[in-house]
Amino acid sequence: MATFLYRLGRGAFRRRGLVALIWVALLFAAGFGAASASAPTSGSFSMPGTEAQKAFDLLDEKFPGMAADGASARIVVKAPQGAKITDEANKAQVQKIVSGIQEGPGKAQVASVADPFQVQAVSQDGSTAYVSVKYTVSGMELKDDTREALTESGDAAKKAGLTVEIGGDALMAAPETGSGEVIGILVAGIVLVITFGSLVAAGLPLLTALIGVGIGVSTITALANVLDLGTTTSTLAMMIGLAVGIDYALFIVSRYRVELAEGHERDEAAGRAVGTAGSAVLFAGLTVVIALAGLAVVNIPMLTKMGLAAAGTVVIAVLVALTLVPSILGFAGRKVLPAGTKSRLFGKGRPAGAEPKANAGTRWASFVLRRPVAVLLLGVVGLGAIAVPAASLEMGLPDDGSQPVSTTQRRAYDLLSEGFGPGFNGPLMVVVDGDKKLADAAEARIKGMEGVAVVTPPAPNAAGDAAVITVIPKDRPSSAATEGLVREIRDASGDEVLVTGATAMNIDFSQKMDEALLPYLALVVGLAFLLLTVVFRSILVPLKAALGFLLSVVAALGAVVAVFQWGWLGSLFGVEQTGPIMSMMPIFMVGVVFGLAMDYEVFLVTRMREAYVHGERPGQAIVTGFKYSARVVAAAAVIMIAVFAGFIGSSEQMVKMIGFGLAVAVFFDAFVVRMAIVPAVLALLGHRAWALPRWLDRILPNVDVEGESLRKHLAGGDSGEGTGKDRELVSA
């Protein structure tokens, strides 16, 4: 593999014009496809095998059109204090809202408008009413004039003194991230300049990562409607693709500079960089792809598509690092070298051959070797303390009740709760697959349940072989009492009575995530152990890596619970409304953090193993690994943290939460687990860390991440070992 990658990198360098042209052509083709495609929709949501999905499918079969995916809105109108919404003047204002929607500019997309005074959508105290609006298309497909007609429908009523708020998915818009992404990229650029001491070397990973992400996100946008991808899919793919794209290019450029400093010609240096660091990039990218594609085991199409789309962006990032990066290195010449070797702008004029002092990685590794027990205990206890809130993890899916209080959706939610009861925002839809007798029996049974506020009479279909019963719980949709009511209805009914609706779907989704988390975690950790056993040819090293990964993930979940569920430091991160953690968050974090954790493990520990197999003592091998890799790994981690943290400013709660969770997880894994716990454990294990039974050594394939086969292949000429001083210069 290393020899093949060496030839690939060298060929890309020599044919740099053709390679760069191909990638630019791909970027333009993907961009043209994205520009030509229609606007992406919110994507359909289904959960095969759950009762809520079975009921939804039955509803679609027995009541054609009732389960349509068109957007809906509720225009909630409340009379002034002391007045009634049924007063003539107030009633006239409500009816103006109805007629405005029916006859307004966006009427072509309106399927139905319900007058609250005809459908009994008025609260018992007479203070509040709501207008239900159904559309023929999803919220993302509403035209501007339709959306404006909705948002402006209550302007006259507001001027008359009424309170008007609007809820529902008709106001759904594409998530906005604001300036967070730009800030993240700027931070990444600053880190790269500090790391490389060269503007050209710093700009190269940013340029190639943006090209890769541009191709990936544009392709997702072009195929969004064809593949029914959700609106957040491209945002998450951008988040992950940008982070790994910068990191992978960073490792290739760093190794290229080392090879140049060792005296190799530029094309030879590019080939050797791709043959060595490229092997680690390929393996690291493979782990991320497997982890993301493995989300398919959860059997939720939306999550599977998100994982596959993000995995596709990672594949592009790997291909860019192995081909486009060496080709652009060909255009850059020797401008990628540290500025200290070319000018006095950076490096304070240090001569190229000067003996540098021990770098920060060397000093830190030496400190850990002197106090391994203290460092290990501090790292484990610290992460364990941060992980404590994870024991209180509550999962669910966001609704308008989780929106910031500044939004009209949240205010409409609160008005409905005040006027009609907390459970009105999460009605349950009970679908009866049977005749009137069965439906009446189900109605009577549900009325006798404690958590029920209102039960509507069964509404039969035209054929009379099915009916729908609407149940309003007493408690809010995300409460444990409502979840208990759903389970009580299901337990008390047979297979012919099914519960669905948004609330029931959320409950089933959370349960499915709970059930899938441990099997998926076992799959990921088991995969990590097997892959690292092959790479490092050791048992204890991969065991340590897998346990460290678990520790960083649980600690990151603890931080997410503390901020988004408990509200600790919530204002600092723009969390206006606390609530349950999104059900997909833990399993998605496991998949992504696993891949990223293996990146750092591979790039850091392979240097240690390389030194060990060349005869260094275990302790000295740790110092050598940190000497040449710690700076680059730390820079890569800071870049990932900056990119992920940039998405905390998103208007979409899911994107905000995932951005925060991944940023915290990378910080814990890179700087606490890989930089502190890993060297401490290796120092305590000594030679035992690198031991492998002979029988296992014979059957394991040799993936050669360190590039040993390449060195042997090139042994006839320059061995490529170089001088320690040159290597230290570039690493410093």
Side-chain angles (χ1 to χ4, degrees):
M1 178 59 71
T3 304
F4 168 77
L5 292 177
Y6 163 79
R7 292 170 179 163
L8 178 65
R10 191 171 182 178
F13 184 95
R14 290 181 170 179
R15 297 172 177 80
R16 48 189 173 272
L18 176 61
V19 173
L21 181 62
I22 291 174
W23 280 107
V24 171
L26 288 174
L27 178 61
F28 274 101
F32 177 78
S36 304
S38 56
T41 65
S42 57
S44 61
F45 182 82
S46 63
M47 295 185 297
T50 63
E51 179 171 324
Q53 185 63 46
K54 292 177 183 176
F56 192 83
D57 295 340
L58 179 63
L59 190 68
D60 195 34
E61 175 189 348
K62 300 291 186 178
F63 296 83
M66 189 174 181
D69 292 332
S72 62
R74 278 179 174 173
I75 306 172
V76 187
V77 186
K78 184 175 182 178
Q81 185 72 28
K84 300 287 186 180
I85 200 68
T86 52
D87 295 344
E88 286 301 321
N90 294 334
K91 185 175 182 179
Q93 291 293 337
V94 174
Q95 290 174 333
K96 281 184 182 180
I97 293 176
V98 174
S99 60
I101 296 293
Q102 289 175 331
E103 305 299 332
K107 63 181 181 180
Q109 291 185 309
V110 176
S112 65
V113 183
D115 186 327
F117 303 107
Q118 296 179 4
V119 297
Q120 299 178 343
V122 179
S123 62
Q124 288 186 350
D125 62 4
S127 65
T128 309
Y130 64 90
V131 179
S132 295
V133 185
K134 290 283 188 180
Y135 293 93
T136 57
V137 296
S138 68
M140 296 298 296
E141 296 173 294
L142 289 178
K143 296 180 180 179
D144 291 341
D145 57 352
T146 306
R147 200 184 301 274
E148 288 175 8
L150 174 62
T151 56
E152 297 173 1
S153 60
D155 289 352
K158 290 179 182 178
K159 292 178 181 179
L162 280 72
T163 301
V164 183
E165 303 294 348
I166 305 172
D169 58 0
L171 295 181
M172 180 183 297
E176 299 177 0
T177 54
S179 60
E181 296 169 70
V182 177
I183 295 174
I185 294 175
L186 288 177
V187 172
I190 294 171
V191 173
L192 288 170
V193 171
I194 295 173
T195 302
F196 285 137
S198 165
L199 292 174
V200 173
L204 194 152
L206 288 175
L207 174 63
T208 55
L210 289 173
I211 291 174
V213 168
I215 294 173
V217 173
S218 296
T219 303
I220 291 172
T221 303
L223 299 176
N225 285 326
V226 177
L227 301 180
D228 193 27
L229 302 177
T231 54
T232 57
T233 300
S234 59
T235 305
L236 297 176
M238 180 192 302
M239 182 191 305
I240 297 169
L242 191 60
V244 300
I246 294 175
D247 276 8
Y248 294 164
L250 167 64
F251 291 121
I252 298 292
V253 174
S254 177
R255 190 59 182 240
Y256 173 74
R257 284 157 41 110
V258 170
E259 299 297 338
L260 282 181
E262 291 178 345
H264 297 297
E265 293 297 325
R266 291 166 53 213
D267 62 337
E268 180 70 11
R272 288 173 180 254
V274 176
T276 51
S279 297
V281 165
L282 184 63
F283 171 80
L286 178 64
T287 60
V288 180
V289 169
I290 291 175
L292 291 172
L295 292 171
V297 303
V298 183
N299 194 29
I300 293 181
M302 180 190 71
L303 196 58
T304 300
K305 292 173 185 177
M306 288 172 58
L308 291 177
T313 309
V314 174
V315 170
I316 294 174
V318 172
L319 294 176
V320 165
L322 299 180
T323 58
L324 182 60
V325 169
S327 73
I328 296 183
L329 286 172
F331 292 111
R334 291 184 176 270
K335 295 179 181 179
V336 297
L337 288 173
T341 66
K342 311 189 301 300
S343 70
R344 295 179 180 271
L345 179 61
F346 294 97
K348 299 180 181 179
R350 186 183 67 211
E355 182 75 26
K357 65 179 182 180
N359 60 20
T362 301
R363 296 195 297 272
W364 171 251
S366 301
F367 171 80
V368 175
L369 287 175
R370 292 194 300 270
R371 300 173 179 84
V373 175
V375 171
L376 177 61
L377 288 177
L378 183 62
V380 173
V381 172
L383 290 183
I386 298 173
V388 169
S392 302
L393 175 67
E394 297 178 6
M395 295 196 295
L397 287 179
D399 55 16
D400 285 348
S402 62
Q403 296 272 7
V405 292
S406 58
T407 62
T408 185
Q409 295 97 318
R410 172 60 189 276
R411 293 195 293 267
Y413 181 97
D414 291 340
L415 286 177
L416 287 173
S417 296
E418 294 170 7
F420 297 89
F424 191 80
N425 284 290
L428 305 177
M429 187 176 293
V430 179
V431 185
V432 181
D433 188 12
D435 56 16
K436 185 177 184 300
K437 181 179 179 181
L438 183 62
D440 290 341
E443 178 196 6
R445 189 163 52 246
I446 295 171
K447 279 185 175 179
M449 295 180 180
E450 184 178 352
V452 173
V454 177
V455 179
T456 65
N461 64 346
D465 60 352
V468 172
I469 303 172
T470 300
V471 179
I472 306 298
K474 289 182 179 178
D475 293 282
R476 55 189 172 85
S478 58
S479 67
T482 300
E483 181 177 350
L485 175 61
V486 172
R487 303 197 187 286
E488 184 180 0
I489 295 174
R490 288 173 172 173
D491 292 342
S493 307
D495 295 337
E496 297 82 9
V497 180
L498 305 174
V499 184
T500 189
T503 301
M505 291 284 278
N506 289 354
I507 292 171
D508 287 355
F509 184 83
S510 298
Q511 181 180 353
K512 196 159 189 176
M513 290 294 100
D514 282 341
E515 294 172 350
L517 181 58
L518 288 181
Y520 180 70
L521 188 61
L523 172 68
V524 167
V525 173
L527 178 63
F529 183 82
L530 292 176
L531 290 178
L532 293 181
T533 299
V534 172
V535 171
F536 297 124
R537 312 195 76 76
S538 164
I539 296 295
L540 295 179
V541 169
L543 180 61
K544 169 265 308 169
L547 293 177
F549 157 70
L550 285 175
L551 186 59
S552 60
V553 167
V554 176
L557 281 176
V560 170
V561 170
V563 172
F564 288 88
Q565 185 175 311
W566 292 358
W568 293 4
L569 301 177
S571 59
L572 181 64
F573 298 102
V575 181
E576 297 185 30
Q577 179 63 34
T578 60
I581 304 304
M582 279 174 299
S583 304
M584 69 178 66
M585 183 68 189
I587 201 166
F588 190 82
M589 183 182 291
V590 166
V592 175
V593 175
F594 162 70
L596 303 183
M598 294 308 102
D599 284 0
Y600 304 131
E601 184 75 13
V602 170
F603 287 116
L604 187 61
V605 180
T606 47
R607 279 287 195 172
M608 299 181 192
R609 184 177 184 275
E610 182 180 354
Y612 179 77
V613 298
H614 281 84
E616 292 189 7
R617 292 175 290 103
Q620 184 58 39
I622 295 172
V623 175
T624 301
F626 269 78
K627 181 179 181 180
Y628 297 124
S629 298
R631 183 184 180 92
V632 177
V633 170
V638 171
I639 289 169
M640 277 203 178
I641 292 170
V643 172
F644 290 144
F647 289 84
I648 296 176
S650 173
S651 60
E652 180 70 33
Q653 183 79 349
M654 182 176 72
V655 176
K656 179 192 292 288
M657 191 179 295
I658 289 179
F660 173 83
L662 292 182
V664 170
V666 169
F667 175 80
F668 290 157
D669 194 86
F671 292 105
V672 181
V673 174
R674 308 302 156 190
M675 292 289 190
I677 295 177
V678 165
V681 171
L682 292 178
L684 293 173
L685 291 175
H687 290 282
R688 290 170 294 177
W690 309 103
L692 183 69
R694 291 183 179 179
W695 63 270
L696 187 57
D697 184 55
R698 287 194 297 268
I699 63 176
L700 286 179
N702 185 8
V703 297
D704 188 28
V705 175
E706 298 93 346
E708 284 296 318
S709 63
L710 177 60
R711 290 188 179 87
K712 294 178 182 179
H713 177 73
L714 300 173
D718 183 7
S719 64
E721 293 299 324
T723 65
K725 292 182 180 179
D726 286 340
R727 190 194 299 261
E728 289 173 2
L729 171 64
V730 178
S731 298

